[in-house]
């Protein structure tokens, strides 16, 4: 049965930049079931043809040299546009009529909410009212973009509104980090290789570092970013997702709920931070020049950098800190997970493994380098018993010889196929807010720790390195070499 992919917010940036290029690439690779229809819905008064033309230009730009005009022509035959207003009930009645015209019988549908977040609630309400969520004839799924709420209260309210219209198993909350191949490979690294599990615990691991550094600033998104800040923008979703996958227990089977049950347990095991803990266990910073960016409120206290030390209170991780950090305007763009092992228990060689920096380290490079390195000591030849850190390295590109696909391809295909493994469940997003809300509240109300300024092009505020050193540890500040 050919499916229909309905995009709300069809004239927006996400649609042209990510969604349509991903669908087109899937079509090009013959991954889509035959006859998939794409229907765009937004207020702009496009005709089908005008929308196709606009998308042809943007898709050619974002897909690059793989774009094939003739193939696009084939794909675009099934691309339609239906103008409408999310605030108007009549628009949804028109949409229902239009969908039944283009679908020649019952067809599975994915409704993708690519709108501003304030439209999520009215959109799902209207979908239900217009009878567009009923699954008696064929599956109906809804994909909800981030941000999912602004805090726990608003996330709960949104979940309730969605659950009035859809059952939880119809809901796909997207976090594009889960669509990255290197993030999915973390499941494989941990659960398809028997050598890691025996050492993946407090007996062998000193601590874990999860860094998501960006070289860019807020750019044109200051209007949104200034009221979000790094905790809502990056920690509540992407960083906590990386933490969950690193720390979770093996799921009993590769199925959406088994996976998500284990992930949620990690969030529940995170020790809650009191305001006093927030003062000592978190850092926040703002890059110089942020306050002058267009759209930023004068005197803004929004953090563009944060670091946090979190404890997972369970048998596996007791006493192993998880250091999370993320910032804009950092030294380079890099997302990496560092598993820092303990020092050897007995120092046999002079000069070897004197401190943690020389203990073994497993580095999972998520992006833009894509691979894994294991750092270990070797003997320098012809130099007595001199040791040096060297590494075993796995690199996606050189191993598989082709570019890794964009995150949206995998996620859109999974939503179309009804596999929610890589999407967040209602309790998961709420539990993630429970971790972030107390930090945000303590920053705002207690004003501690202070908001530190940092120069663009560094690893955040200088105090961040000192904070780690005071705990006998060091950030793994390394911009990966891309080969
Ligand atoms: C988004 C954030 O979710 O992720 C952005 O809103 C951030 O602020 C982006 O730049 C980072 O995504 P990626 O895939 O480039 O690491």
């Amino acid at each position: 049965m050919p499916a229909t992919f309905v995009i709300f917010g069809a004239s927006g940036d996400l649609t042209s930049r990510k969604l349509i290029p991903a669908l087109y690439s899937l079509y090009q690779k013959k991954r889509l079931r035959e006859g998939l229809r794409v229907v765009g819905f937004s207020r702009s008064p496009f005709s089908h043809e005008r929308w196709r033309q606009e998308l042809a230009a943007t898709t050619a730009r974002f897909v690059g040299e793989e774009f094939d005009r003739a193939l696009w022509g084939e794909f675009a035959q099934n691309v339609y546009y239906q103008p409408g207003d999310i605030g108007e009930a009549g628009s949804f009645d028109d949409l229902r009529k239009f969908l039944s015209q283009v679908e020649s019988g019952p067809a599975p549908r994915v409704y993708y909410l690519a709108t501003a977040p304030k439209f999520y609630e009215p959109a799902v309400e209207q979908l239900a009212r217009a009878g567009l969520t009923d699954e008696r004839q064929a599956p109906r799924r809804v994909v909800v973009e981030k941000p999912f709420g602004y805090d726990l209260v608003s996330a709960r309210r949104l979940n309730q509104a969605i659950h009035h219209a859809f059952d939880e198993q119809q809901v796909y909350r997207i976090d594009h980090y889960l669509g990255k191949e290197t993030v999915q490979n973390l499941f494989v690294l941990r659960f398809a290789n028997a050598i890691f599990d025996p050492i993946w615990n407090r007996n062998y691991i000193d601590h874990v570092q999860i860094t998501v550094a960006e070289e860019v600033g807020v750019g044109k998104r200051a209007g949104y970013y200034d009221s979000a800040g790094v905790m809502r923008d990056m920690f509540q979703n992407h960083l906590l997702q990386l933490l969950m996958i690193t720390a979770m227990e093996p799921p009993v089977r590769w199925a959406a709920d088994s996976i998500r049950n284990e992930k949620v347990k990690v969030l529940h095991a995170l020790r809650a931070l009191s305001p006093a803990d927030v003062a000592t266990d978190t850092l926040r910073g703002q890059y110089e020049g942020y306050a002058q960016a267009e759209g930023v409120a004068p005197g803004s206290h929004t953090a563009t950098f944060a670091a946090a030390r979190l404890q997972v209170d369970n048998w596996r991780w007791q006493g192993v800190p998880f250091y999370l950090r993320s910032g804009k305007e950092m030294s380079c763009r890099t997302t990496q997970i560092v598993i820092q092992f303990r020092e050897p228990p007995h120092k046999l060689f002079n000069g070897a493994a004197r401190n943690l920096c020389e203990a073994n380290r497993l580095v999972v490079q998520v992006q833009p380098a894509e691979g894994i390195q294991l750092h270990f000591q070797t003997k320098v030849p012809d130099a007595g018993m001199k040791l040096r850190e060297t590494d075993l390295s796995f690199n996606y590109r050189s191993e598989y010889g082709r570019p890794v696909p964009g995150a949206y391809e995998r996620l859109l295909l999974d939503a179309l196929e009804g596999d929610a493994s890589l999407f967040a469940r209602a309790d998961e997003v709420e539990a993630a807010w429970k971790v972030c809300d107390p930090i945000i509240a303590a920053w705002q109300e207690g004003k501690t720790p202070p908001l530190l300024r940092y120069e663009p092009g560094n690893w955040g505020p200088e105090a961040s390195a000192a904070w780690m050193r005071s705990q006998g540890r060091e950030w793994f500040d390394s911009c990966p070499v891309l080969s």
Side-chain angles (χ1 to χ4, degrees):
M1 238 195 297
T4 310
F5 194 91
V6 184
I7 305 175
F8 292 93
S11 54
D13 207 40
L14 182 68
T15 303
S16 54
R17 214 171 245 285
K18 299 287 182 192
L19 305 184
I20 298 293
L23 289 170
Y24 168 76
S25 297
L26 288 167
Y27 180 80
Q28 195 167 31
K29 293 180 196 166
K30 302 196 181 348
R31 301 276 162 75
L32 296 174
R33 288 182 195 222
E34 207 156 316
L36 176 87
R37 288 164 290 255
V38 179
V39 177
F41 177 104
S42 76
R43 280 184 306 184
S44 311
F46 296 149
S47 62
H48 301 310
E49 205 35 54
R50 166 85 195 282
W51 197 47
R52 289 173 192 153
Q53 277 165 11
E54 299 250 333
L55 293 179
T58 49
T59 309
R61 185 156 89 236
F62 294 120
V63 168
E65 57 191 34
E66 297 290 312
F67 185 78
D68 174 333
R69 199 152 287 278
L71 202 70
W72 167 265
E74 268 175 36
F75 172 79
Q77 279 171 14
N78 278 330
V79 172
Y80 304 93
Y81 187 79
Q82 171 67 18
D85 187 333
I86 288 178
E88 281 176 16
S91 293
F92 285 77
D93 295 329
D94 293 345
L95 177 65
R96 190 187 54 240
K97 283 180 215 142
F98 180 72
L99 290 174
S100 55
Q101 263 170 34
V102 288
E103 295 168 344
S104 38
R109 280 186 208 147
V110 171
Y111 302 114
Y112 200 109
L113 304 186
T115 63
K118 66 176 180 195
F119 295 118
Y120 296 166
E121 287 190 37
V124 291
E125 204 181 298
Q126 288 298 340
L127 282 167
R129 192 209 51 80
L132 289 161
T133 59
D134 186 341
E135 284 207 295
R136 273 173 298 184
Q137 303 272 331
R140 302 280 180 251
R141 303 186 189 109
V142 64
V143 182
V144 190
E145 261 294 333
K146 86 172 255 282
F148 195 94
Y150 182 77
D151 53 13
L152 177 60
V153 174
S154 55
R156 273 198 181 131
R157 202 177 51 228
L158 181 54
N159 273 330
Q160 278 163 6
I162 291 174
H163 289 155
H164 273 131
F166 294 92
D167 289 337
E168 177 59 24
Q169 46 85 18
Q170 295 173 271
V171 186
Y172 290 66
R173 295 172 194 78
I174 207 162
D175 182 317
H176 76 281
Y177 267 58
L178 294 179
K180 294 183 192 279
E181 291 281 346
T182 43
V183 173
Q184 290 161 45
N185 190 49
L186 195 50
F187 289 112
V188 177
L189 176 82
R190 292 199 53 206
F191 306 134
N193 296 295
I195 56 169
F196 296 110
D197 189 60
I199 55 170
W200 207 265
N201 57 49
R202 63 191 301 273
N203 298 323
Y204 294 91
I205 296 176
D206 177 78
H207 71 274
V208 175
Q209 297 181 16
I210 301 178
T211 296
V212 181
E214 294 186 275
E215 211 174 345
V216 293
V218 289
K220 293 194 181 126
R221 296 170 71 230
Y224 145 78
Y225 192 90
D226 201 39
S227 60
V230 65
M231 195 50 66
R232 292 187 175 94
D233 188 50
M234 299 297 284
F235 276 66
Q236 190 274 341
N237 34 71
H238 311 323
L239 278 101
L240 286 180
Q241 285 293 345
L242 297 178
L243 180 145
M244 284 187 264
I245 303 171
T246 307
M248 70 194 275
E249 295 302 315
V252 286
R253 60 185 67 84
W254 187 252
D257 272 331
S258 297
I259 298 166
R260 299 186 299 180
N261 287 344
E262 296 305 336
K263 282 169 60 193
V264 171
K265 277 193 213 161
V266 174
L267 295 182
H268 289 166
L270 284 176
R271 193 179 303 167
L273 297 185
S274 67
D277 296 331
V278 173
T280 55
D281 294 0
T282 72
L283 290 176
R284 58 180 176 140
Q286 189 186 80
Y287 64 81
E288 296 287 359
Y290 171 78
Q292 287 76 52
E294 201 186 319
V296 172
S300 164
H301 267 70
T302 298
T304 59
F305 167 94
R309 176 177 54 207
L310 301 179
Q311 301 281 349
V312 182
D313 279 336
N314 63 16
W315 274 55
R316 190 186 284 270
W317 296 116
Q318 195 53 238
V320 180
F322 281 73
Y323 294 96
L324 272 52
R325 90 180 146 157
S326 180
K328 299 217 182 267
E329 293 280 8
M330 303 272 279
S331 292
C332 58
R333 175 172 184 245
T334 177
T335 297
Q336 44 186 259
I337 302 168
V338 177
I339 310 294
Q340 178 66 66
F341 291 97
R342 290 181 184 279
E343 294 176 54
H346 174 55
K347 314 267 165 57
L348 199 56
F349 303 105
N350 260 346
R354 279 261 168 81
N355 54 49
L356 265 182
C357 310
E358 292 164 8
N360 300 134
R361 195 187 293 119
L362 184 73
V363 183
V364 176
Q365 302 281 4
V366 173
Q367 65 181 22
E370 292 161 323
I372 297 172
Q373 286 120 32
L374 178 64
H375 296 179
F376 60 104
Q377 300 289 328
T378 52
K379 179 184 172 305
V380 180
D382 202 16
M385 244 334 159
K386 191 168 170 214
L387 310 193
R388 210 190 77 200
E389 188 183 277
T390 43
D391 64 290
L392 276 175
S393 189
F394 158 72
N395 177 316
Y396 253 96
R397 264 171 210 259
S398 53
E399 187 64 32
Y400 290 105
R402 59 189 132 110
V404 165
Y408 275 87
E409 280 185 39
R410 171 66 193 258
L411 296 174
L412 299 194
L413 192 59
D414 282 0
L416 281 162
E417 296 293 322
D419 181 352
S421 305
L422 299 175
F423 293 83
R425 211 167 52 187
D427 54 339
E428 188 176 336
V429 283
E430 291 183 15
W433 280 117
K434 276 190 200 158
V435 175
C436 296
D437 275 4
I439 300 177
I440 298 168
W443 285 356
Q444 278 167 357
E445 289 153 24
K447 310 235 179 306
T448 55
L451 182 72
L452 306 163
R453 308 288 160 179
Y454 62 97
E455 284 293 329
N458 288 312
W459 290 95
E462 277 172 20
S464 166
W467 179 71
M468 275 300 250
R469 271 199 298 278
S470 70
Q471 301 167 58
R473 300 185 170 112
E474 231 169 273
W475 288 116
F476 183 64
D477 285 343
S478 155
C479 292
V481 179
L482 294 172
S483 50

